[in-house]
Amino acid sequence: MKRVFHGALPSLLSIALALAICFVALALSRSDVHLATDAYAQMIFGGVGDFPSFTESGRWGVLTRPWGESTSRAALLLLTGLSVAVAFSVGLFNIGAQGQMTVGALLAAVVGAHVSLPAGIHPLVGLLCAALAGAAYGSIAAVLKVRRGVHEVISTIMLNWIAVNLIENWLVTGPLRAHSEGTVSIAGTDQILPTAELPRLLSDGSRIHLGFPIAVLIALALWAWLSRLRHGFETRAVGLGPEAARTAGIPVERRIYQAMALSGALAGLAGGVLVLGTEFRFPAVLGAPYGFDGIAIALIGQNHPIGVAVSALFFGILRAGGTRMQLLGVHKSFPELIQGLALLFVAARYVWRKLLSGRAARPSPRSSEVQRA
Amino acid sequence: MVGENGAGKSTLMNVLSGLYRPDAGEVWIDGTQVHFRGPGDAIRRGIGMVHQHFMLVPPLTVAENVVLGREPTRRGLLDLEAAVDQVGETCRRFGFKLDPRARVEDLSVGSQQKVEIVKALHRGAQVLILDEPTAVLTPQEADELVAVTRSLAADGHTVVFISHKLREVLSVAERIVVLRRGRKAAEVRASETTAEALAELMVGESNAAKVASQGARAPAGPVALRGEAIDDGVAVHGVSFTVRAGEIVGIAGVDGNGQRELAEILTGLRPASGSLRLMDTEVLGASPGELRARGLGHVPEDRLLRAIVGPMSVEENLALGRHGRPPFARGPFIDFSGRRAHAASLLESWDVRPRDPSQRIAALSGGNQQKAVLARELDADPKVLVVVQPTRGLDIAAVRSVHERLRAHRDRGAAILLVSLDLDEVLALSDRLYVIFGGRLSVELAREDFDERRIGRMMLGAT
């Protein structure tokens, strides 16, 4: 337990520092400490529940509605964060979660709108198709990497643009554009059928849907896979020492393909959850950069499935609460500012380690030896 | 200066060029004692080191490489024209035909080496240290280098020329220092010695006793590993050999003669043509995983790259390769308690320090890492074991213990192929041996034919 805490400390301190700096900036910008305090209070009310209003009115809705907003955002951040973390475990930096998510979102929108299925299995089929589409799209980068030595950062960035342009500038405005209803022309694809919507968990106004529990279960499964299963051990060995893994008889290429397909599947799943849980169609412009946010979430969670889950939940709450801060005239990008600062501080984790342990931070001896070899 | 691999030549030169500080002893230049705190000090005192592996920036030009670190400037801006002029002048003065504007990556290896020498001379080096300068050169380039070296010496420079090619040393040097196991074994005038006498001095005569101490042992069993006409078209040419159950077969040779590539082919890491039979099954082209499943063990040469995963724990590294089987796993799950207990007992019996299985293996010393690797591979009880440089970096006690364990493993009926650059090690352990030179194997030599002088000559390409 102590070890877990020590490992998470740089991330926790980074987030605390980011919150503190933003608090000061907010107070200075209006020369008003009360505004900053109010804004942070609103963030909590909007993110985890409006407690003062609950004690006044006793209505549960003021508590559950914020949770709906937080968890639906957290689900997407968690899935894309896990996508990045899984690729990282095999040593790849998947910048392409955005593209894989977009492909998944489109597939979910198509299956949701144009395939008739019973309510119980329709969302599951939609999510499965989204995951498969993301996996296929992610696998392109893995094949290019293994067969042709194309660096995955380059290929996934390019694949992002291909996915976004192909889908938003052609499919969604062309072949898959929604049929107009009367004289009203609608941008984006058709609305998904009601059977395809992710079930809401509460009958009140809260938008808590099945996406978040699914994402949390996946995070736990991935944690078990990476730390408890032979297959996960092999995957980590490939990520940390590919040549040693090969010499030990581990099929390195196969593990890379599998991990990258899984990474793409998770990002695709995020797209499916976005469409079936929140958007209910593929809009004209997706405009939801959760794939890129996933990189930040994974790094702040130190690529550990549980760390990613905690970090996704935290920033989901922050995002949901941030909407409410707008009531006080604080710009809605404020939570992203906090996230960006936290990422910046996490990136400087060698400095944290040095401060925390009092020892000089050194790059691992291994990397320098390998370079020499 | 001549000596076998590991005789201490490079270490000694690194002391002279300021990379290492000596624990004891003194360095004198022109009658003055000097204390180098770093390579910069040595350069200022006129010592120029040309490393075996070039320290050049390939996309930059010759002139840019030579002036790197002390670039001429004009009004604070880099003055490349002045650099070209200066470097051209240095080349003319010392008789090097080099175009200062040529890009280094476009030059032949021989010319790149000249750039290194010009770089040292340009910085005013009076003492030039050439570390195995001919190892990478063609015979013609090597001849040219010998001529250049002679003319620099005639010009008043001091040149230390390190090599294990005896003929070259004899043709280039006035005096020859022989290093053996970190000590000066002899110093002779080139005009008063022969290649044979030098080879004997290099290898030493202590091996005869060790060879005798082996004693008689049971004859070897059936062939466990048979290679026929193995060829990768690059470094290994038509290699055929056999290793029987219950014997250690050595492959002796000077570094860079294809032994590394041969080991990679035998362990499934490198494609090749020909035939490789492991216990009578054709396995050439099989993956490392299949070979392991068929009973092949492998102690790779490059420990940090191939043998261990540095950021993982000692116990994870001890499981690597067998991580799918008991006691390391139960079904698809890792068996943490079984793995921990097994690791603890291996650390104990192999005296790996510290005895902490959860320690990151990268934090262990090189010798302890190597012990862990050997513990892992021998514990798997392979029928055929390919070991490359098993004792590099180990202290004397550890070397002895590794040798004993390899012999014990052989005596249990395993076939061991030992590839080592340390001739003493090959002679001490092998029941038969082959010499590899230029990617080809010599005829096999039985133990009674182990004649270090003859083997030394074969390693250097003489027949």
Side-chain angles (χ1 to χ4, degrees), chain B residues 157-178:
Chain B
H157 286 84
T158 301
V159 183
V160 181
F161 191 102
I162 300 169
S163 179
H164 39 226
K165 294 180 186 163
L166 302 178
R167 252 168 266 291
E168 258 165 37
V169 177
L170 283 168
S171 71
V172 76
E174 272 89 21
R175 283 183 301 124
I176 298 170
V177 172
V178 182

Side-chain angles (χ1 to χ4, degrees), chain B residues 29 63 66 75 117 140 143-144 189 196 244 283 325-326 353 364-365 390 392 399 409 423 426 432 435 450 459-460:
Chain B
I29 298 180
V66 170
R75 282 185 238 115
I117 296 173
Q140 292 76 16
D143 288 346
E144 206 180 319
R189 301 203 73 80
E196 284 72 22
R244 292 172 180 279
V283 292
R325 275 180 275 158
R353 289 175 218 182
L364 267 55
S365 72
R392 193 167 61 170
V399 169
H409 191 60
L423 181 57
V426 176
R432 287 186 294 128
V435 174
F450 283 8
M459 283 165 60
L460 299 168

Side-chain angles (χ1 to χ4, degrees), chain B residues 392-406:
Chain B
R392 193 167 61 170
L394 268 58
D395 60 35
I396 294 167
V399 169
R400 196 170 298 146
S401 134
V402 167
H403 284 183
E404 271 164 27
R405 282 168 193 269
L406 287 174

Side-chain angles (χ1 to χ4, degrees), chain A residues 83-136:
Chain A
S83 165
V84 175
V86 163
F88 196 81
S89 72
V90 83
L92 300 185
F93 202 18
N94 179 17
I95 311 287
Q98 184 69 26
Q100 294 142 21
M101 182 183 89
T102 307
V103 173
L106 183 77
L107 252 283
V110 170
V111 172
H114 301 292
V115 180
S116 298
L117 285 167
I121 59 167
H122 201 165
L124 291 180
V125 172
L127 291 180
L128 189 68
C129 289
L132 287 176

